[in-house]
Amino acid sequence: MSEAVDSRTITLAEAETRILDAFEVKRPVFLWGLPGVGKSELMEQIARNEYLGNTHLVDVRVALMEPTDLRGMPYFDRDSGKMKWAPPVDLPDEELASQYDTVILFLDEMNSAAPAVQAAGYQLILNRRIGTYKLPDNVVIVAAGNRESDKGVTYRMPSPLANRFVHLEVRVDFDSWLNWAVNNKIHEDVIGYCSFAKGDLCDFNPRSSGRSFAAPRTWTYVSDFVKKPGMADDRLTDLVSGCVGEGIAIKFMAHRKVAKDMPMPADILAGKVKDLKIKEISAQYALTIGMCYELKDAYDDFGKKDAEKWHGMADNFFRFMMDHFPTEMTVMGARTAITNYNLPFQPNKLKHFKEFFERFGKYVVKAMEMED
């Protein structure tokens, strides 16, 4: 099956728009991608899309199911003297669907399910019903699975079932991941390292005998461990290695050693720190994201009530980037603050905004246009 989709790939950001297109015409989508690329996270993100209205995501792990879990269980009805089917409990019913504008039925690990389970899905996918069960009208379907070439536990999908889907294969894309990472508060050290070493965002090799590999999902695990307070370096190294592999773990911990000596983002925004002695690029990336996080938290805490104070912090943000960071990093910081966090900067309240716009405005605008 993988040979049919290897020729064309799209980013996760592009996949979101294509899936929404398929929803409009009620066509089921099959999402292909290597392990840990972020398929499940994408569906959670789509479920929060305002375009769909009030949305509910039903996440079904098909690989763990039996055929009767989809079709339902037969039972004898004493009143009619006939065999009937009890509807499946994992699929959305009319009562659930009536509470939402859209219900997304996400059939994850579809091609890891046994052939008998896949066969039970034929009628559900094609006719939106199976046995006596019928999908409510506002239910849309997305299935997902790993490619056969990824050496996971998969079964070749029968052609009649495959032909019922719109197939999309997603690839790892740094910009899509970066947008997701900052919106989900992935630790700034993880974002900083991956921004510097983009190739280490994913190093999956199906021919490797290693158990751990870097992927968007495993970097999320690393972020969780880094956020854990009181974690000694030796313990953290073991855990990071268990997530992304030993080689990348050693490089990441070296990045962490430098990053921890950088000034505190809050001190920069408060105007207490104006100089930067450390020139390590990966650490500067981490500091940039850290300032964005701090500026967003400050706006949520008091920005609306005390706009003057908050704009003073924002002015220090732009001034510090202009003084110490290369163009790419400065643009990333401004784009994150403006696009991802939608922070309401008022140029007339920023002393250094005119200089910033003259030097970097065209790059920021271009970066935002590329995202659109």
Side-chain angles (χ1 to χ4, degrees):
M1 185 61 232
S2 62
E3 291 78 11
V5 291
D6 281 346
S7 59
R8 187 178 185 88
T9 62
I10 56 177
T11 68
L12 287 170
E14 292 168 337
E16 179 171 358
T17 63
R18 285 29 165 199
I19 290 172
L20 292 175
D21 289 337
F23 284 174
E24 287 189 6
V25 295
K26 290 286 183 71
R27 296 301 178 191
V29 173
F30 199 105
L31 200 59
W32 298 88
L34 59 83
V37 70
K39 299 183 289 294
S40 299
E41 290 79 4
L42 172 63
M43 296 314 303
E44 293 173 358
Q45 180 173 307
I46 290 176
R48 296 191 296 267
N49 193 306
E50 295 180 357
Y51 175 81
L52 297 175
N54 186 22
T55 304
H56 180 65
L57 176 67
V58 178
D59 190 340
V60 177
R61 302 290 162 151
V62 187
L64 304 178
M65 302 182 83
E66 298 291 337
T68 52
D69 293 330
L70 281 179
R71 184 173 177 82
M73 183 70 71
Y75 69 95
F76 178 70
D77 181 20
R78 291 179 180 273
D79 295 332
S80 65
K82 297 179 180 180
M83 293 296 294
K84 292 188 177 181
W85 287 87
V89 69
D90 291 321
L91 301 181
D93 57 19
E94 291 289 353
E95 181 181 357
L96 174 69
S98 66
Q99 303 174 40
Y100 302 95
D101 298 314
T102 305
V103 176
I104 302 173
L105 176 58
F106 181 41
L107 303 172
D108 202 4
E109 302 174 356
M110 180 77 177
N111 62 330
S112 296
V117 179
Q118 293 189 32
Y122 284 6
Q123 190 179 1
L124 180 65
I125 302 301
L126 178 61
N127 297 323
R128 297 179 58 81
R129 64 186 307 153
I130 180 169
T132 58
Y133 170 80
K134 181 181 178 182
L135 279 175
D137 290 339
N138 63 333
V139 175
V140 291
I141 301 174
V142 177
N146 298 325
R147 305 164 302 181
E148 291 178 21
S149 58
D150 295 331
K151 304 301 182 183
V153 178
T154 61
Y155 296 90
R156 179 174 290 273
M157 188 182 298
S159 296
L161 178 58
N163 191 241
R164 283 153 172 74
F165 287 104
V166 176
H167 294 270
L168 300 173
E169 181 173 346
V170 294
R171 66 177 182 269
V172 175
D173 172 69
F174 173 77
D175 289 332
S176 296
W177 175 81
L178 176 62
N179 288 334
W180 177 88
V182 296
N183 287 332
N184 288 273
K185 284 295 185 79
I186 296 300
H187 196 278
E188 57 267 28
D189 284 351
V190 171
I191 296 179
Y193 176 79
C194 291
S195 297
F196 170 71
K198 295 181 176 65
D200 286 348
L201 175 60
C202 181
D203 73 337
F204 175 68
N205 180 357
R207 293 181 294 275
S208 173
S209 60
R211 299 184 183 91
S212 306
F213 59 90
R217 177 168 59 202
T218 50
W219 279 116
T220 302
Y221 298 166
V222 171
S223 174
D224 292 338
F225 286 126
V226 172
K227 289 179 181 179
K228 190 174 183 295
M231 182 73 74
D233 283 351
D234 58 340
R235 291 166 56 193
L236 183 59
T237 301
D238 290 339
L239 293 167
V240 173
S241 178
C243 295
V244 297
E246 184 178 8
I248 291 179
I250 291 173
K251 292 189 290 182
F252 174 74
M253 293 304 294
H255 153 77
R256 282 262 301 166
K257 186 175 182 180
V258 177
K260 70 179 182 181
D261 292 329
M262 297 292 274
M264 296 295 292
D267 291 340
I268 295 173
L269 298 183
K272 298 177 182 178
V273 174
K274 299 182 183 298
D275 297 323
L276 183 66
K277 298 179 181 179
I278 299 174
K279 302 301 181 182
E280 173 64 40
I281 298 297
S282 67
Q284 290 184 6
Y285 273 117
L287 181 59
T288 303
I289 295 298
M291 287 195 294
C292 290
Y293 286 171
E294 192 74 27
L295 196 61
K296 172 66 164 58
D297 289 343
Y299 181 76
D300 292 340
D301 288 343
F302 64 82
K304 295 180 182 178
K305 298 179 181 178
D306 193 344
E308 292 296 331
K309 179 180 178 182
W310 182 80
H311 275 88
M313 297 174 66
D315 198 52
N316 291 331
F317 170 69
F318 286 111
R319 179 74 267 169
F320 193 86
M321 290 194 299
M322 285 191 292
D323 289 345
H324 300 292
F325 295 158
T327 298
E328 178 185 358
M329 202 176 304
T330 303
V331 171
M332 183 187 75
R335 187 194 66 180
T336 299
I338 296 170
T339 303
N340 292 94
Y341 290 149
N342 198 28
L343 294 178
F345 299 116
Q346 297 180 34
N348 62 321
K349 293 184 178 181
L350 297 170
K351 293 186 298 182
H352 301 108
F353 184 82
K354 181 179 180 181
E355 179 186 351
F356 174 83
F357 190 80
E358 289 175 350
R359 291 174 57 184
F360 303 101
K362 61 181 179 181
Y363 303 111
V364 176
V365 171
K366 184 177 180 180
M368 294 170 65
E369 287 176 346
M370 289 176 64
E371 288 184 1
D372 294 337

